[in-house]
Amino acid sequence: MCGRWPALSEANLEFCRPAADNPRMKKLFIKTYGCQMNAYDSARMADLLAPLGYAPVEKQEGADMVILNTCHIREKAAEKVYSELGRLAVLKREKPGMLVAVAGCVAQAEGEEMVRRQGAVDMVVGPQSYHRLPEMIARHARDAGHVLETDFPALEKFDALPQASSESGVSAFLTVQEGCDKFCTFCVVPYTRGPEHSRSPESILAEARNLVSRGAREIVLLGQNVNAYRGVDSHGKDWNLARLIDALAQIHDVYRIRYTTSHPRDMDDDLIAAHGNIEKLMPFLHLPVQSGSDSVLAAMNRQHTADDYLRLIGRLRAARPDIAFSSDFIAGFPGESDADFEATMALVRSVKFSQCFSFKYSPRPGTPAAGAKKLVAESVKTSRLLALQALLLEQQDEANKASIGQTMDVLFEKAGRENGQLVGRSPWLQPVHVQAGTSRIGTIGAVKIAALTANSLHGALAQTASA
Ligand code: SAH
Ligand code: SF4
Ligand code: F3S
């Protein structure tokens, strides 16, 4: 629903520029589903395949290679992949040499079954193995059989990936941590992404410098559980996320830093303090809570209570009074009573979120909750989700309306749909539209907000750009 990062819906990738008009270039089409980490992985796959002559295109028709980078988080997300594969099988009959690869979390979870179910699939590659794609393409060319790679060699992947070699967007994703050891009872991520693993601070800082040299001005640090980041540097010293953010803030042309997604249990004192001390760290935090009921939170194995969450919000607000929050919610988890759901609504009323994602519970094969007996009826799930979304939308509207008349710093990211218009982001991640020239892309300007349409703010430049 609302929110900027298309966390769990299809993400259309900005790096998909048309292939150069070079007949020797092979056309690569990547379709990305799921979270920001998949968007990051898709961009890295494009970098990895560029030396083999593959250039991104925007249509799958006529492509030499199609990669579906998939998401397994809910049933609907996974099923989309099979319908897409059906369409690709038809295209492949017209162009038999076309390579079809399935990457991401469905590949990891159901790779072998996928090859059995859909003969059009040439390659299956898990999220920890995609650095092996060039070698897999070569293997496929040699013996034309299906190639499957779904190990978890997390330690080698980042070393094997090349640095980005194309232009970066103004806001760039940078994966610093992968995997999850939390095992929430509803969630597939620990099984599809494997155990928690943090990259070394040196390799992250080098990647950030490279992104900045290619035009990035905002770095969004990514991890399935990004605040569990524990990197070890070349002197054997441990770094937590706060220290990493502090080091990134020293890079002159990094204007803004964000991180996502965090688990409430991993918000340590240093990170809370960083929100007060590091000016480049933006006053916006996505902090999923899932439910406001302690018994549901316990059944989900979230390892915190509703009150723990509220106290955490209080400490973050004390460190950075203007901080805005977003969250994820699941409606209709097994055993959720009317009173449990009311507790979620009460938590939402008490926090006041500025944006949110909310979902109906979807049982996932292999997760502990999938075997639960006390299921919530589909119609009840739907009515709870609608009530929750109405409240969240009201809060989002309130936050946006409160921006009218304010002057805020906006980082301009790209041209808008209308002529002469730029789109940027406020510190609180709201999209802001202004009339201004494209030379301001990549700079920060003070904008006086005048109006609100749907989810976007509209305003005018208040003074010359400050960066
Ligand atoms: N690591 C993050 C979230 C990863 S998944 C965290 O701990 O918060 C993103 C969101 O998808 C979750 O926060 C949850 O709200 C939702 N989700 C995950 N599994 C789900 C399921 N089985 N059914 C419905 N929503 C689910
Ligand atoms: Fe899934 Fe929980 Fe891990 Fe988030 S913390 S990825 S919801 S298991
Ligand atoms: Fe989906 Fe995998 Fe991300 S299941 S949400 S693509 S970690």
Side-chain angles (χ1 to χ4, degrees):
M1 51 170 287
C2 45
R4 173 224 171 164
W5 293 313
L8 302 144
S9 56
E10 276 172 33
N12 253 334
L13 297 179
E14 286 179 15
F15 74 89
C16 278
R17 288 178 298 277
D21 265 347
N22 177 348
R24 276 179 309 180
M25 278 289 187
K26 287 178 265 186
K27 294 178 182 153
L28 171 67
F29 177 79
I30 306 184
K31 180 150 189 169
T32 307
Y33 303 84
C35 62
Q36 304 90 327
M37 304 204 49
N38 261 14
Y40 173 87
D41 290 343
S42 291
R44 303 316 306 275
M45 285 190 252
D47 290 334
L48 188 69
L49 297 178
L52 275 65
Y54 285 96
V57 292
E58 284 166 352
K59 278 199 317 230
Q60 56 195 27
E61 289 78 13
D64 298 288
M65 180 168 188
V66 173
I67 302 178
L68 301 183
N69 197 7
T70 61
C71 174
H72 202 238
I73 203 83
R74 283 174 294 277
E75 196 179 348
K76 261 197 196 138
E79 276 310 314
K80 272 188 197 161
V81 179
Y82 286 99
S83 44
E84 193 61 45
L85 281 174
R87 280 191 286 276
L88 283 173
V90 175
L91 283 183
K92 204 171 162 163
R93 262 176 250 137
E94 288 159 18
K95 186 168 178 175
M98 178 169 125
L99 282 179
V100 175
V102 183
C105 292
V106 183
Q108 186 65 46
E110 301 180 1
E112 286 177 25
E113 193 202 329
M114 188 168 269
V115 168
R116 267 198 305 277
R117 250 174 92 172
Q118 183 46 267
V121 176
D122 298 299
M123 280 169 226
V124 172
V125 62
Q128 303 300 349
S129 319
Y130 66 80
H131 56 294
R132 294 185 179 157
L133 266 174
E135 174 198 323
M136 292 170 70
I137 294 175
R139 248 161 61 205
H140 182 267
R142 270 198 311 273
D143 44 30
H146 302 296
V147 187
L148 201 105
E149 287 281 0
T150 48
D151 293 349
F152 281 133
L155 293 172
E156 75 184 50
K157 183 175 81 184
F158 287 106
D159 295 340
L161 288 172
Q163 289 276 4
S165 54
S166 51
E167 216 177 291
S168 167
V170 170
S171 178
F173 289 149
L174 201 176
T175 294
V176 303
Q177 180 279 344
E178 287 197 294
C180 181
D181 298 337
K182 291 283 187 296
F183 291 94
C184 301
T185 54
F186 52 81
C187 182
V188 292
V189 171
Y191 313 97
T192 61
R193 293 277 175 164
E196 284 178 6
H197 165 70
S198 297
R199 295 175 63 184
S200 79
E202 284 98 341
S203 76
I204 294 165
L205 291 169
E207 187 168 334
R209 284 191 204 97
N210 182 50
L211 287 167
V212 165
S213 75
R214 298 181 182 283
R217 294 292 175 264
E218 173 177 279
I219 303 284
V220 184
L221 303 175
L222 298 182
Q224 264 90 27
N225 230 349
V226 70
N227 57 344
Y229 176 80
R230 287 289 175 281
V232 181
D233 69 17
S234 53
H235 307 288
K237 291 262 180 318
D238 284 344
W239 288 48
N240 59 14
L241 191 65
R243 179 157 180 207
L244 184 66
I245 291 171
D246 194 37
L248 281 163
Q250 313 300 321
I251 300 176
H252 184 260
D253 282 337
V254 170
Y255 300 163
R256 290 182 167 185
I257 302 168
R258 304 180 187 273
Y259 62 93
T260 197
T261 296
S262 296
H263 192 289
R265 291 267 302 182
D266 291 314
M267 280 316 293
D268 62 23
D269 295 349
D270 287 353
L271 193 52
I272 295 171
H275 278 279
N277 302 333
I278 303 176
E279 216 177 309
K280 290 182 181 181
L281 181 57
M282 289 296 100
F284 176 88
L285 183 61
H286 181 65
L287 193 61
V289 62
Q290 317 296 353
S291 168
S293 148
D294 286 346
S295 62
V296 173
L297 286 169
M300 288 176 164
N301 189 30
R302 289 292 289 182
Q303 301 171 44
H304 64 78
T305 62
D307 194 49
D308 293 334
Y309 184 85
L310 293 174
R311 272 188 282 124
L312 194 51
I313 296 282
R315 290 181 64 203
L316 282 154
R317 282 195 167 130
R320 179 83 203 229
D322 64 342
I323 194 167
F325 293 99
S326 84
S327 195
D328 290 342
F329 294 90
I330 295 180
F333 186 77
E336 184 186 73
S337 65
D338 285 342
D340 292 323
F341 178 67
E342 264 319 304
T344 301
M345 297 290 271
L347 180 138
V348 172
R349 280 188 206 101
S350 124
V351 175
K352 291 192 173 37
F353 293 96
S354 74
Q355 17 176 296
C356 274
F357 298 92
S358 46
F359 316 97
K360 275 195 254 183
Y361 170 68
S362 166
R364 304 307 292 130
T367 58
K373 302 259 171 333
K374 280 174 65 188
L375 297 184
V376 174
E378 204 53 35
S379 57
V380 176
K381 279 191 205 172
T382 306
S383 60
R384 286 182 188 163
L385 184 72
L386 289 175
L388 178 60
Q389 289 186 338
L391 176 61
L392 292 167
L393 210 56
E394 209 176 279
Q395 297 194 338
Q396 179 179 330
D397 257 9
E398 242 167 67
N400 282 339
K401 279 189 190 131
S403 306
I404 297 175
Q406 278 188 36
T407 298
M408 53 182 72
D409 278 349
V410 173
L411 174 58
F412 299 111
E413 293 186 8
K414 56 186 178 194
R417 279 204 204 113
E418 286 167 28
N419 219 358
Q421 189 187 54
L422 290 188
V423 190
R425 294 276 166 184
S426 78
W428 304 278
L429 211 61
Q430 298 146 297
V432 182
H433 293 74
V434 213
Q435 289 301 119
T438 50
S439 62
R440 288 192 189 265
I441 291 176
T443 70
I444 292 177
V447 172
K448 179 148 195 220
I449 304 301
L452 167 70
T453 55
N455 221 354
S456 299
L457 300 176
H458 297 256
L461 278 171
Q463 57 188 57
T464 18
S466 59

